Amino acid sequence: MGNGLRKSHFTYKHLSQMKLFSTTCPLRIIAHIDLDAFYAQCEMIRLNVPEDQPLAVQQWQGLIAINYPARKFGMNRHITITEAKKLCPDIIMQHVATWKEGDEKWAYHPDAFAHIATHKVSLDPYRLESRRILACIKETLPPPPLQRVEKASVDEVFLDLSAHVHSILMERYPELRGPAPYDDPTENLPRPPTTALDWNTDALVDLDITETEDDDPDWNDIAILIGSEIIRSVRAAIRKHLKYTCSAGISHNKMIAKLGSAHKKPNQQTIVRSRAVQQFLSGFKFTKIRNLGGKLGDQVVTTFGTDLVKDLLDVSIEQLKFKLGDDTGSWVYEIIRGEDYSEVNSRTQIKSMLSAKSFRPSINSFEQAVRWLRIFVSDIFSRLVEEGVLENKRRPKTMNLHHRQGGQMRSRQAPIPSGRSIDEPMLFDIAKTLLGQVIVDGRAWPCANLSLSVGGFEDGPAGNRGIGGFLVKGEEAKAMRPTSRDLNHSPPTNDDSQPEKRRKVDKGAIQNFFAKREPSKEEHDDDFGAIDQLPTPRRASPTMPEGYAPCDIEDGEHVNGNETKHVQRDVGTATSVVRPAVPQQTTLHTFFCSACKATVPLTEKTEHEDWHFAKDLQQSEHSTTRSVGSTLAPAAHGAQGGKKVAVVGAKRGPNKPGGAITADGKGVEKGQKRLAFGR
């Protein structure tokens, strides 16, 4: 067989699986990017210090990050600050930002380390930088569907490059574009035309002992080389635009890619080809493998007397299943051989968020606790913003407060209202309510620990917008307000000219009634949603911020043809036209009652009308004349076909209950009785 007829080990089916991000595709390309000493880099860039300057990030009296220049002096995170300064007198010790008791914003305080009792650590500066880096990565890559990025933590990201690499393969190698021979996807691909590959300056892991570099490359080698080119460009973009260095690992699954990114640091990338996996893993402790640390790792070490991958490879799958159980044993057998089929999830689901403080010394008053609650709320809200709460992508359903006094822990929980946008004032009010419940319950002081958390996250309904979006503010709102001249001298409307003045909208599409605007987190009404708690009629709230005006919208439901759908429960952002301030229904959240001139929530419209009906009935019941009946009689005579029409307001007989008078003048019909309203 000639060289031109040589076939690849991979098939057309494998090639098509690449663009679908299949986790079982042998041509799959996964990368892991890890920021180098991230917290330390953040502080170096913020302080604008030279890259060769030793620096450590301090939290109280300990170290949480040490840059690579400082590591050359033999430092690690387990040494004390005093020991670090002895090893390197020129080192910069930068304390993390903190929330100061009573402040509403975190800041860098030069003496924070000495005020552990009144300060709380804030990692917000690092989260903000992490967000910028993630945005840079996504901008460097092609947009979805070719892009799939998973934020694994504040300083690491997984990327599934399979679809992106597939598109480049199709461009560079036209022989791959055609259909499979005989339309059979199991047919093998033609062999790559390349016989040597340039791996540039990447760290290339040696092949397994059964493999040799003399073997011609196959499509998996071509694919991982292209993946390496992509990651090199991503790292260069981060370096150029944001000044951060990062390391990367490129392989065919998440587990190997993550180990690869830590193989050569800092500012390097490592390629682990499929033919090099066993060679790469043989020198590792399996407790370093993702999900094999902790209790499971300890159990395996205890059971088999080793923590090395190469020793565990000699254990049969039957022994692993017998000792660890079928599922765990099978998983361990595969993972130590480099087999991992977990997917890169572009949307990692956070289950809860916590902000806490242990007090030394303890706090002793409600006012002190409230000041800390404000800090907790600000801390949590900043993370909620990152999670997409302002865009209504996800939102928590519950808030929990934990309070420890002595050896007793008390917990309280409350729902977060779903009918309004989440903001700091709302969360703060809920937190204060929970604290009040704890205090009323029993002895609360001195308090040794206080924590606040939100949980029960759920995805927000698509297309929802918040109250802020249905408002306009400032000069625009003032310009749209009608003047007294406009109200008193309104020009007559002409039916013929009306179509020219009125914008045409699609029936049933509520979003077409509102002009779109860029979201603004300031455009919201803090009192929105409170109407559900007030059963009695009330006027419009006087607390609407100056310069804002409501528009027409139906809260909670959207009518489309004959179908009623719930489309808006949570509140985000948008804008709309303002209605004139005249006695009419000013918003679809409320109903203007012409009878009593009151504005009531729309949800209570029916109840309010029933109240008026009952009131009228009560008044008519006490009437001693038949004037009401005679007044309504024409309506009865106008009924078609002489049907009986009930008329309210009958005069009582001496021994008969009050009832309805029918159109023919008779009393209560058989089987009916008067309803006793107002008795």
Side-chain angles (χ1 to χ4, degrees):
M1 184 181 293
N3 288 344
L5 298 178
R6 288 186 312 151
K7 294 290 184 178
S8 165
H9 291 103
F10 305 99
T11 66
Y12 284 88
K13 180 180 179 181
H14 295 148
L15 189 65
S16 64
Q17 286 177 330
M18 284 189 74
K19 60 183 178 182
L20 301 176
F21 297 104
S22 171
T23 59
T24 58
C25 177
L27 295 175
R28 186 185 186 207
I29 303 298
I30 305 297
H32 180 260
I33 294 178
D34 187 13
L35 275 296
D36 299 321
F38 180 53
Y39 291 0
Q41 272 203 92
C42 288
E43 299 301 346
M44 291 175 68
I45 292 172
R46 183 182 68 86
L47 298 172
N48 196 28
V49 301
E51 292 187 352
D52 59 352
Q53 168 65 49
L55 181 144
V57 179
Q58 177 182 351
Q59 179 174 314
W60 311 132
Q61 297 301 318
L63 301 178
I64 62 171
I66 300 171
N67 70 358
Y68 283 90
R71 295 184 191 186
K72 293 179 181 179
F73 291 87
M75 297 185 196
N76 59 61
R77 288 183 295 177
H78 303 294
I79 66 174
T80 66
I81 294 173
T82 302
E83 291 171 336
K85 289 182 176 180
K86 285 181 180 179
L87 291 173
C88 180
D90 296 330
I91 191 171
I92 294 176
M93 291 291 180
Q94 176 58 54
H95 199 282
V96 297
T98 56
W99 300 88
K100 184 180 178 182
E101 183 181 7
D103 288 354
E104 296 185 6
K105 177 68 177 174
W106 55 263
Y108 282 92
H109 301 280
D111 58 347
F113 65 92
H115 297 281
I116 189 173
T118 57
H119 286 237
K120 180 188 180 304
V121 168
S122 172
L123 301 181
D124 276 4
Y126 311 132
R127 294 191 188 102
L128 293 172
E129 289 302 289
S130 176
R131 220 177 298 167
R132 294 177 64 210
I133 293 168
L134 184 63
C136 181
I137 292 173
K138 291 183 175 181
E139 289 170 4
T140 307
L141 297 171
L146 296 183
Q147 179 187 123
R148 184 169 288 189
V149 179
E150 174 187 328
K151 182 179 179 181
S153 71
V154 71
D155 64 344
E156 56 181 331
V157 173
F158 282 107
L159 303 93
D160 192 334
L161 303 173
S162 303
H164 188 186
V165 170
H166 178 272
S167 67
I168 296 175
L169 283 173
M170 295 299 104
E171 293 176 6
R172 295 185 184 178
Y173 302 96
E175 61 268 30
L176 298 179
R177 300 176 194 165
Y182 319 112
D183 288 328
D184 183 1
T186 62
E187 281 287 321
N188 293 80
L189 295 166
R191 197 79 177 182
T194 307
T195 57
L197 300 177
D198 180 10
W199 298 102
N200 207 296
T201 57
D202 295 344
L204 192 66
V205 175
D206 293 336
L207 296 176
D208 297 342
I209 56 175
T210 58
E211 303 286 344
T212 171
E213 295 287 359
D214 295 333
D215 297 333
D216 289 340
D218 208 337
W219 290 113
N220 58 343
D221 298 313
I222 305 291
I224 202 169
L225 178 62
I226 294 173
S228 177
E229 295 171 4
I230 295 170
I231 294 302
R232 194 179 299 112
S233 67
V234 170
R235 292 174 53 236
I238 296 172
R239 178 71 161 162
K240 177 182 178 181
H241 299 299
L242 303 176
K243 300 182 181 180
Y244 290 94
T245 66
C246 52
S247 301
I250 304 99
S251 190
H252 65 285
N253 63 45
K254 292 175 73 173
M255 186 263 287
I256 301 295
K258 182 173 174 62
L259 293 175
S261 66
H263 185 59
K264 295 285 185 179
K265 290 176 75 75
N267 200 25
Q268 298 185 64
Q269 63 186 54
T270 300
I271 297 176
V272 185
R273 293 167 288 176
S274 300
R275 296 185 291 155
V277 169
Q278 286 306 311
Q279 174 68 21
F280 180 62
L281 288 178
S282 61
F284 274 96
K285 293 181 177 181
F286 56 74
T287 50
K288 299 292 185 183
I289 296 176
R290 191 164 60 105
N291 297 327
L292 248 183
K295 292 182 179 179
L296 177 57
D298 293 341
Q299 180 186 355
V300 176
V301 171
T302 302
T303 303
F304 297 100
T306 182
D307 60 357
L308 297 177
V309 170
K310 62 180 181 181
D311 294 337
L312 204 59
L313 288 172
D314 296 331
V315 180
S316 67
I317 188 172
E318 289 77 15
Q319 286 179 284
L320 288 170
K321 287 183 176 180
F322 178 75
K323 297 288 188 179
L324 305 175
D326 287 351
D327 292 341
T328 303
S330 298
W331 179 81
V332 171
Y333 183 84
E334 292 177 349
I335 207 73
I336 62 175
R337 287 165 173 77
E339 299 175 20
D340 175 27
Y341 304 105
S342 56
E343 67 175 355
V344 173
N345 186 355
S346 57
R347 189 64 192 162
T348 306
Q349 301 295 323
I350 293 177
K351 295 181 179 179
S352 63
M353 293 178 180
L354 171 74
S355 187
K357 174 71 175 177
S358 293
F359 304 111
R360 293 187 294 271
S362 300
I363 58 175
N364 292 283
S365 70
F366 177 78
E367 290 73 19
Q368 276 185 294
V370 166
R371 289 198 291 269
W372 283 108
L373 286 183
R374 186 176 293 281
I375 290 175
F376 295 165
V377 166
S378 298
D379 184 22
I380 289 174
F381 185 72
S382 67
R383 284 181 270 167
L384 288 173
V385 171
E386 184 179 354
E387 187 66 9
V389 70
L390 293 183
E391 298 83 8
N392 200 31
K393 293 178 181 177
R394 297 190 78 219
R395 59 181 289 140
K397 294 191 293 185
T398 58
M399 175 181 286
N400 293 272
L401 182 137
H402 297 278
H403 172 284
R404 181 160 60 85
Q405 190 272 328
Q408 185 177 9
M409 177 70 77
R410 296 186 181 92
S411 300
R412 291 295 179 270
Q413 183 183 86
I416 297 174
S418 61
R420 57 172 289 188
S421 59
I422 293 180
D423 53 29
E424 284 193 52
M426 179 186 74
L427 296 178
F428 184 53
D429 287 344
I430 298 173
K432 284 196 299 182
T433 300
L434 293 176
L435 178 62
Q437 293 174 5
V438 170
I439 294 173
V440 169
D441 235 18
R443 185 180 175 190
W445 316 112
C447 173
N449 181 278
L450 197 62
S451 69
L452 194 70
S453 65
V454 293
F457 278 82
E458 60 183 358
D459 294 333
N464 273 18
R465 296 176 296 174
I467 188 67
F470 300 112
L471 306 172
V472 290
K473 67 175 185 176
E475 295 302 321
E476 184 178 355
K478 293 177 182 177
M480 300 177 76
R481 271 190 202 140
T483 63
S484 58
R485 176 188 175 97
D486 296 330
L487 295 178
N488 296 330
H489 304 283
S490 301
T493 57
N494 190 321
D495 290 339
D496 294 333
S497 63
Q498 198 68 8
E500 298 177 5
K501 297 182 178 180
R502 191 171 293 169
R503 183 165 64 91
K504 193 173 182 179
V505 296
D506 293 336
K507 217 170 190 179
I510 196 167
Q511 62 271 24
N512 293 330
F513 287 95
F514 309 103
K516 291 184 179 180
R517 171 175 296 180
E518 288 298 316
S520 170
K521 65 180 180 180
E522 296 178 354
E523 293 182 357
H524 60 76
D525 177 8
D526 289 345
D527 289 338
F528 180 77
I531 54 176
D532 294 335
Q533 302 169 11
L534 301 175
T536 55
R538 68 182 185 93
R539 302 280 177 179
S541 172
T543 58
M544 182 72 74
E546 184 178 357
Y548 285 74
C551 74
D552 291 350
I553 181 173
E554 182 176 355
D555 183 36
E557 294 185 346
H558 165 52
V559 180
N560 186 7
N562 296 325
E563 190 176 359
T564 301
K565 297 181 179 179
H566 287 273
V567 295
Q568 178 139 344
R569 298 294 298 172
D570 305 328
V571 189
T573 52
T575 58
S576 180
V577 179
V578 181
R579 302 295 185 222
V582 293
Q584 61 178 10
Q585 184 173 334
T586 55
T587 107
L588 286 179
H589 287 300
T590 58
F591 168 75
F592 182 82
C593 177
S594 58
C596 63
K597 310 301 181 187
T599 301
V600 299
L602 185 64
T603 54
E604 300 170 12
K605 175 184 175 183
T606 303
E607 180 182 347
H608 186 79
E609 290 176 335
D610 288 345
W611 181 81
H612 275 297
F613 178 81
K615 192 71 176 174
D616 292 341
L617 201 59
Q618 181 184 23
Q619 292 174 353
S620 66
E621 183 181 51
H622 295 299
S623 174
T624 57
T625 68
R626 302 179 61 90
S627 58
V628 176
S630 61
T631 302
L632 297 176
H637 290 302
Q640 294 181 0
K643 293 182 179 178
K644 296 179 179 180
V645 181
V647 180
V648 176
K651 182 179 179 181
R652 288 191 184 193
N655 297 313
K656 297 179 182 178
I661 300 176
T662 58
D664 54 10
K666 296 181 179 179
V668 177
E669 293 182 350
K670 186 177 182 180
Q672 295 182 342
K673 64 179 180 179
R674 172 178 290 278
L675 296 176
F677 286 100
R679 291 186 178 179

